[in-house]
Amino acid sequence: MSVVKRKTWCAESMKKAVEAVQKKEMGYLKASKTFNVPRTTIEKYVKSNNVDEIINNRLGRKSALPLRIENELVKYCLVMEEKYFGLRAADIKILAYQLAIQNNINHPFSNNTFMAGKKWLNNFLKRHPALALRKPEATSLARIKGFTKENVESFYTILGKELEKVNFNPCKVFNVDETGITIVQHKQTKIIGMKGKKQVSKLTSAERGSLMTLVTCMSASGIYVPPLIIFPRKNMKAELLNGTPPGTISECHPSGWIQMDIFTRWVEHFISHVKPSTSEPVILILDGHYSHTRNLDVIELGRKHGIIIICLPPHSTHKLQPLDVSFMGPFKHYYSLEIENWLKNNEYRSVTAYQVGELMGRAYMKASTIENAVNGFRKTGIIPFNPNTFQDYEFVAETTINNEENIPQQESTLVASPISPVCTNTEISEI
């Protein structure tokens, strides 16, 4: 027996058909054909005084909470998510119970747990498709405070002036950033296991691995400068670079972190590939790490070779840095998969620094696509230049915190032009 689907017509068309008949502009049959709705349904709704309520009324069992209260709950969920205090599933079920009690509504919720059930939550999410259970990205309080409208506007003001010097050419705009990699997977992928089993395990090469730093750089047109990898050791061995992308360079430091002299050598590496000049300058966007902004040698190289250095506002790289937005995520994902595949093919062996180059190289080649580069600069509003990329609601949390705590604004953006460094950073402006 076939199931008859009810109420498949458009609510707006039904409303117009009912209004046309009530105003005697057309009869039932003509209205039915004109608006493509059932004639018998029009006849039923014409007799009603409140057409909107009947048309929008849902079929089936009524929800425990009225639609008006559910809509308010939806708004509250969205506001809390914008303020970085998103509600958990249990929070919504508790709120539903409390709303039913406070409004004297007969409800099927449990009086033992003082919350709504799982079935109610699932149906609630189905009734309001604007909501969904999402896994949030951890965002520190410093990032929330630092990503202010004033800082972003200041950054775009400076960026716009510098982009005019390169005629908004995407081939002349670059972004550089560092990321840490280890011999241990950054994130474990899900596996199929026994349902109900208390713990499901997966092999890793170590509990924790020594840190290596990868310096990457890409342009708004999809050009990638060969990376620099920093190994946590004193002496370099050529075999550590086996399998790395062509043109990769290496450095050694006991900590494995970027240092001023290492970043200076990377800038020289950048100049040898991009070949900027004072007549053909390029823009290099970077974060405020001390090895970038307090490095005299880098500033001198920028003046000499026509590199316009623009520093991102503090604690805003998760929104404004193209590499963070579109490249680092895919790269870390591919790198974790490469480690997992290596462990499967090399049973009971551990990944060491001698395998990192090859594993990193495979992941880098997969992530370094033109599409990722173009999307990163587009989403951050750098190329194509769009200072209105971020909407006001994205600064809601920052506005609330500043109003309540009277937090002073962060210092403004640093720019080092090829002719003279224009900046507000004390250490550089005194040069």
Side-chain angles (χ1 to χ4, degrees):
M1 184 177 177
S2 61
V3 179
V4 179
K5 293 184 179 180
R6 302 177 59 193
K7 216 168 185 178
T8 57
W9 36 261
C10 174
E12 190 65 29
S13 298
M14 178 60 73
K15 182 178 178 180
K16 291 179 180 178
V18 171
E19 290 176 350
V21 173
Q22 288 177 339
K23 294 177 182 179
K24 298 182 178 180
E25 296 176 354
M26 57 182 70
Y28 291 110
L29 185 59
K30 185 178 180 180
S32 174
K33 293 180 178 179
T34 303
F35 297 101
N36 195 27
V37 292
R39 179 178 59 81
T40 54
T41 309
I42 298 175
E43 293 176 358
K44 181 176 67 174
Y45 287 161
V46 164
K47 300 173 184 179
S48 172
N49 293 327
N50 194 342
V51 179
D52 288 338
E53 184 176 343
I54 296 176
I55 290 177
N56 295 321
N57 191 25
R58 292 186 177 91
L59 297 176
R61 188 176 179 179
K62 305 298 180 185
S63 59
L65 299 178
L67 183 62
R68 175 182 57 82
I69 294 179
E70 284 198 353
N71 288 336
E72 291 297 323
L73 183 57
V74 170
K75 291 180 182 178
Y76 181 70
C77 291
L78 295 176
V79 168
M80 294 300 289
E81 186 269 327
E82 288 177 358
K83 292 180 178 292
Y84 296 88
F85 291 99
L87 301 178
R88 302 168 299 172
D91 297 331
I92 298 177
K93 291 191 285 187
I94 292 171
L95 283 173
Y97 178 86
Q98 294 175 346
L99 286 170
I101 296 297
Q102 292 177 4
N103 290 276
N104 298 320
I105 299 172
N106 291 327
H107 61 83
F109 305 147
S110 173
N111 290 320
N112 296 324
T113 60
F114 305 106
M115 64 171 62
K118 185 177 181 180
K119 184 179 290 187
W120 175 87
L121 177 62
N122 292 336
N123 291 331
F124 173 75
L125 295 176
K126 289 180 182 178
R127 289 192 294 272
H128 303 280
L131 300 180
L133 282 174
R134 303 281 302 276
K135 185 177 181 180
E137 182 179 346
T139 306
S140 67
L141 183 62
R143 286 183 181 269
I144 297 174
K145 292 179 180 180
F147 189 67
T148 65
K149 192 171 185 178
E150 291 76 13
N151 281 349
V152 172
E153 288 178 349
S154 175
F155 168 73
Y156 281 121
T157 299
I158 294 172
L159 177 65
K161 294 177 181 177
E162 302 302 328
L163 284 174
E164 290 179 358
K165 297 179 182 179
V166 297
N167 297 320
F168 297 89
N169 186 350
C171 298
K172 300 290 186 180
V173 183
F174 291 82
N175 174 220
V176 61
D177 190 25
E178 301 88 14
T179 187
I181 57 175
T182 68
I183 59 173
V184 181
Q185 298 96 309
H186 173 69
K187 185 178 180 181
Q188 292 285 355
T189 55
K190 291 184 178 181
I191 63 172
I192 302 297
M194 181 182 293
K195 188 174 183 180
K197 188 176 180 180
K198 192 170 183 180
Q199 182 176 352
V200 179
S201 302
K202 193 174 183 181
L203 181 68
T204 61
S205 57
E207 292 293 332
R208 55 179 297 182
S210 55
L211 179 76
M212 287 155 277
T213 299
L214 183 71
V215 184
T216 58
C217 179
M218 67 181 185
S219 75
S221 62
I223 300 171
Y224 288 83
V225 176
L228 158 68
I229 184 168
I230 305 171
F231 292 96
R233 55 192 296 132
K234 291 185 178 180
N235 300 315
M236 183 61 194
K237 290 187 176 181
E239 52 265 36
L240 289 170
L241 289 180
N242 289 344
T244 56
T248 300
I249 60 173
S250 63
E251 292 287 346
C252 293
H253 190 272
S255 68
W257 290 92
I258 189 74
Q259 306 294 323
M260 283 191 179
D261 57 330
I262 295 178
F263 186 71
T264 301
R265 287 193 285 273
W266 178 87
V267 173
E268 293 171 348
H269 169 69
F270 172 80
I271 292 171
S272 67
H273 281 81
V274 179
K275 302 190 185 316
S277 64
T278 53
S279 59
E280 293 288 336
V282 298
I283 293 176
L284 183 61
I285 300 172
L286 39 70
D287 59 33
H289 192 265
Y290 76 93
S291 64
H292 304 164
T293 58
R294 302 179 184 180
N295 195 330
L296 281 174
D297 294 332
V298 168
I299 294 176
E300 289 300 325
L301 285 171
R303 289 176 175 174
K304 182 178 179 181
H305 295 278
I307 303 174
I308 304 172
I309 300 174
I310 301 181
C311 181
L312 294 164
H315 307 298
S316 63
T317 55
H318 63 300
K319 293 278 191 179
L320 290 173
Q321 180 144 257
L323 280 165
D324 278 354
V325 171
S326 68
F327 177 82
M328 294 303 182
F331 169 73
K332 290 289 183 71
H333 172 72
Y334 291 133
Y335 182 68
S336 296
L337 291 180
E338 290 297 332
I339 294 179
E340 290 182 6
N341 292 335
W342 192 92
L343 292 173
K344 289 177 184 177
N345 296 324
N346 298 270
E347 192 173 0
Y348 301 120
R349 288 180 59 193
S350 296
V351 177
T352 66
Y354 292 96
Q355 285 84 42
V356 167
E358 184 177 358
L359 300 177
M360 181 277 292
R362 294 175 186 168
Y364 185 89
M365 297 298 284
K366 292 178 181 177
S368 58
T369 63
I370 295 177
E371 183 180 9
N372 282 346
V374 171
N375 286 340
F377 282 88
R378 177 180 56 81
K379 289 180 180 179
T380 53
I382 296 175
I383 294 290
F385 183 61
N386 182 14
N388 299 317
T389 297
F390 301 102
Q391 305 300 319
D392 289 340
Y393 70 83
E394 299 186 64
F395 303 103
V396 168
E398 167 266 324
T399 304
T400 304
I401 293 172
N402 285 347
N403 289 341
E404 292 180 356
E405 301 182 8
N406 195 25
I407 297 174
Q409 297 298 318
Q410 301 284 343
E411 60 185 17
S412 54
T413 304
L414 165 97
V415 174
S417 71
I419 300 174
S420 60
V422 181
C423 54
T424 57
N425 187 288
T426 305
E427 288 79 356
I428 299 180
S429 60
E430 292 177 352
I431 297 170

